[in-house]
Amino acid sequence: MRRYQPVEKGVWNFANRTESSVFSTFREFQTPFSTGGYVLKRPRSRIRQNAGPRASTARILANAATTIILCLISTAYLTAAEPVATPFELQPYRVRISLTCTESPGLEAAFCKSILKEVPEISDRLLGEMWTITTEDNLWLFPRTHEHLSHLTAEKLPADWTTETFDKTFLMTLEQSGGEYVLSGREWDPVGRTFGSPLSRPVQQRRELAAAVFRLAHDLFRPRLQIERITDGVAAITVQAGALTPADPTCAQLRTGQFWQPFLRYRNPQGKVEKLQAVPWTLLQVTEINPDSRAHGQARVVSGLRSALPNRRRPRIDLLARALEPVAPATELRLISRQSPAKPLVGIVVDAKSKPDAPAFRMMTDRNGTIRIPARSTDPLLWLTVRSGDKTLARLPLVPGLESQVTAELPDDSIRLRVEGELSILQSNLTDTVAQRAVLIARIRRSVQFGDWKSARELQKDLRALPTTDKYLTALNAIRIPAVKTAQAAKDKGTAAYIERVCGETSKIIQKYLDDEKLKAFEEELKELERTLPNPSKATPKK
């Protein structure tokens, strides 16, 4: 038998040939085959003369068999190297329900296990393949109360809960209160690493607890979608497990007018998640659902940012979004300083309107920097215009009721307000100076007209004592320079540019209405009049 022997890197040849072997036909190959980094190459050897028809037939059969074997090896190698990923719309949600029961006579351990056993059966009947449920008896949550559950944070979760073994995890507590049961739960999203709002509901009948656990999980469930591309502010979206149609049509994930919260997930070359980035003040509103496949649709991008989302997907960056559902009757909006988060923005005016041509209703932040905006059943989306004086600080979209509390970090406008206040005082003093100058010049002219040069000289001293242009420009620089430095230290380029602009406009006003050249020209005119009238009359001006 022949055996392979390496003769050079990447090339294998035949040695110790036996002409009677069927593998002698290898030498007839004209094209090399690639198998896992090696090349099978036809060896150069003598071709036996007059082999006959039997040898030719053997060569043909061996060639065909070898070709098939090499194709199978190559196919298996490529399949193992690049596994085919399941489309996003065909990926079912891997769901875990972790239930803990308080110790009470009506909640025995065996009964709680029977509840967890029934939940997957209920899910199969209503959702079909959309959910793949795993249930467990929670042993680490303590105390086992809904109050502790509502204050639970991601830092207190076990280490295995932060991995993406499951797409959704529902943490629930079951308590007995008098003659009824209280079932509470929260959704933990390992992909987005966020907790949902807590939800509690009473259950009257013991036999309804398994169905109540499933209903609560479904009500807490926030679907996930993938943004394929964005064109002219419209996003093409694909919902996870959207092609796995549930048996219950009311459990459909996509609804027209529904709001979604986008976020970005960054992965390293090995596919491990490195960072999650929320996109603030940005929403997706579903505008159209594909009639042929409810897994696909279109959504309008609503954002208070200029470039909120990239236009298309990039390698190792996932554009995802989670569904938002109303959880509160109103939303409390709190405005704080971006430079000093502990400082609330007090007395800020907020104008809210649902459409550009709709009338706006005005609100003002209290001493804590908060306003309360009630939820709306019609036209739920509001555009908030945040103003400080004549300046617009931000324009933000908000759907009241989707979150109970929202915080907006805005530029600290105290620098601008202080500058505007100081400039207002400076301009007021400038107005008084310009008026006094005009009055004194008029009185001097009248005194000269009646020949009262003594009064004219006294009024001229008062005119020279008025603040000059240089004095006002010095006072203006004393306002401008420290304010610009403070704004630049806070990295607030907009405020720094605004201060330079308004101070520049004030400087032009000072030089226009308090021109020293006009005052010098008036004094030259008085000197000329005094030379032309060497003997002024003694007449006194009329009162």
Side-chain angles (χ1 to χ4, degrees):
M1 295 293 292
R2 290 180 184 174
R3 57 187 176 85
Y4 296 133
Q5 176 179 326
V7 296
E8 62 184 44
K9 184 177 180 182
V11 177
W12 286 72
N13 210 331
F14 295 103
N16 299 332
R17 301 189 306 274
T18 301
E19 290 296 330
S20 61
S21 172
V22 70
F23 291 101
S24 63
T25 55
F26 258 117
R27 60 191 177 190
E28 299 299 324
F29 283 132
Q30 298 298 325
T31 304
F33 293 88
S34 174
T35 57
Y38 298 102
V39 177
L40 297 179
K41 193 172 183 180
R42 179 177 65 86
R44 297 180 179 179
S45 61
R46 291 182 306 121
I47 301 177
R48 194 169 60 182
Q49 301 292 331
N50 301 323
R54 296 181 61 183
S56 300
T57 303
R59 289 194 195 99
I60 295 172
L61 293 175
N63 287 346
T66 306
T67 302
I68 294 173
I69 292 172
L70 293 177
C71 289
L72 292 175
I73 293 173
S74 179
T75 302
Y77 176 79
L78 293 176
T79 303
E82 297 181 4
V84 178
T86 304
F88 193 68
E89 62 270 22
L90 293 176
Q91 297 178 13
Y93 289 96
R94 298 165 298 171
V95 176
R96 171 171 56 185
I97 296 180
S98 182
L99 177 66
T100 179
C101 301
T102 57
E103 297 180 0
S104 61
L107 294 175
E108 303 84 1
F111 175 67
C112 292
K113 291 181 179 179
S114 65
I115 294 176
L116 294 175
K117 186 178 180 180
E118 294 180 31
V119 172
E121 300 175 359
I122 299 173
S123 175
D124 290 341
R125 290 197 305 268
L126 297 178
L127 298 181
E129 298 179 350
M130 195 173 83
W131 280 15
T132 302
I133 288 188
T134 300
T135 59
E136 68 176 22
D137 185 10
N138 186 286
L139 302 177
W140 57 266
L141 184 66
F142 186 82
R144 303 176 179 181
T145 61
H146 66 276
E147 291 89 355
H148 179 62
L149 176 63
S150 60
H151 293 90
L152 190 65
T153 59
E155 290 76 16
K156 298 180 181 179
L157 292 175
D160 60 331
W161 279 51
T162 58
T163 63
E164 295 187 13
T165 306
F166 294 92
D167 297 309
K168 298 287 182 179
T169 296
F170 300 100
L171 181 57
M172 299 186 183
T173 61
L174 182 58
E175 305 169 78
Q176 191 172 12
S177 177
E180 65 179 14
Y181 300 93
V182 178
L183 182 64
S184 304
R186 293 183 73 183
E187 181 204 58
W188 165 249
D189 187 350
V191 177
R193 297 177 186 175
T194 57
F195 257 122
S197 300
L199 183 61
S200 299
R201 59 183 49 167
V203 182
Q204 303 296 332
Q205 299 295 329
R206 180 184 175 98
R207 63 177 180 271
E208 297 177 354
L209 285 173
V213 169
F214 171 76
R215 287 196 301 268
L216 181 61
H218 186 267
D219 293 343
L220 291 170
F221 172 63
R222 295 180 295 172
R224 185 183 306 119
L225 62 77
Q226 185 173 264
I227 303 173
E228 305 294 343
R229 61 188 177 276
I230 300 176
T231 305
D232 297 332
V234 178
I237 57 177
T238 301
V239 183
Q240 181 176 351
L244 305 176
T245 307
D248 187 356
T250 61
C251 298
Q253 301 184 69
L254 267 183
R255 301 190 308 273
T256 304
Q258 187 181 23
F259 290 96
W260 297 70
Q261 175 67 56
F263 65 95
L264 281 72
R265 181 175 63 177
Y266 296 84
R267 294 178 285 107
N268 59 17
Q270 290 73 34
K272 186 178 179 181
V273 178
E274 290 185 336
K275 184 180 67 171
L276 293 172
Q277 179 181 339
V279 186
W281 302 108
T282 302
L283 297 171
L284 298 179
Q285 186 177 19
V286 179
T287 57
E288 183 180 345
I289 301 175
N290 192 332
D292 299 328
S293 173
R294 296 191 64 87
H296 305 280
Q298 293 184 350
R300 179 170 61 103
V301 180
V302 181
S303 179
L305 309 178
R306 291 184 179 179
S307 300
L309 297 170
N311 292 333
R312 59 178 61 89
R313 294 171 57 190
R314 300 176 182 175
R316 303 201 303 271
I317 300 179
D318 299 327
L319 300 178
L320 304 174
R322 66 178 68 90
L324 297 174
E325 299 293 340
V327 297
T331 295
E332 185 180 86
L333 174 63
R334 186 166 185 259
L335 306 181
I336 61 175
S337 171
R338 183 179 300 164
Q339 291 79 15
S340 303
K343 179 182 178 181
L345 300 182
V346 182
I348 300 297
V349 175
V350 179
D351 293 332
K353 59 172 58 180
S354 57
K355 298 178 181 179
D357 55 349
F361 58 95
R362 176 163 293 188
M363 299 165 285
M364 182 176 290
T365 57
D366 57 14
R367 61 181 181 180
N368 297 319
T370 61
I371 56 174
R372 186 177 183 274
I373 308 175
R376 299 158 56 94
S377 57
T378 58
D379 296 330
L381 177 64
L382 291 178
W383 280 99
L384 307 180
T385 304
V386 184
R387 305 181 188 276
S388 177
D390 296 333
K391 183 181 179 182
T392 299
L393 298 180
R395 192 168 181 265
L396 308 173
L398 180 68
V399 180
L402 294 183
E403 298 179 79
S404 58
Q405 292 182 342
V406 179
T407 300
E409 295 184 355
L410 301 178
D412 190 353
D413 206 36
S414 59
I415 302 174
R416 183 188 67 84
L417 294 176
R418 184 177 69 250
V419 170
E420 287 185 350
E422 293 176 351
L423 288 180
S424 178
I425 295 174
L426 182 67
Q427 291 173 359
S428 177
N429 294 337
L430 176 64
T431 303
D432 292 342
T433 301
V434 172
Q436 291 178 17
R437 174 183 283 191
V439 170
L440 289 174
I441 290 176
R443 293 181 62 186
I444 292 173
R445 290 184 184 278
R446 184 175 178 82
S447 298
V448 171
Q449 181 181 359
F450 286 94
D452 189 359
W453 287 94
K454 181 178 179 181
S455 299
R457 293 188 181 94
E458 292 178 356
L459 293 173
Q460 192 174 4
K461 292 180 182 179
D462 295 338
L463 180 62
R464 293 171 179 171
L466 291 177
T468 60
T469 302
D470 291 340
K471 184 176 181 180
Y472 274 103
L473 291 178
T474 302
L476 180 62
N477 288 330
I479 297 173
R480 179 183 62 84
I481 295 175
V484 171
K485 289 183 178 180
T486 304
Q488 290 176 347
K491 298 181 179 180
D492 192 351
K493 297 181 180 179
T495 300
Y498 173 80
I499 294 172
E500 292 283 7
R501 179 171 60 83
V502 296
C503 288
E505 294 174 355
T506 305
S507 175
K508 292 179 181 179
I509 293 174
I510 292 173
Q511 296 175 3
K512 178 180 179 180
Y513 293 100
L514 204 63
D515 190 0
D516 290 339
E517 295 298 328
K518 294 181 180 180
L519 185 61
K520 292 179 181 179
F522 176 70
E523 290 182 350
E524 292 293 335
E525 180 184 350
L526 290 180
K527 291 180 180 179
E528 186 66 24
L529 290 175
E530 191 173 4
R531 285 196 299 268
T532 57
L533 299 174
N535 297 315
S537 63
K538 303 295 182 180
T540 57
K542 296 181 181 179
K543 296 183 180 180

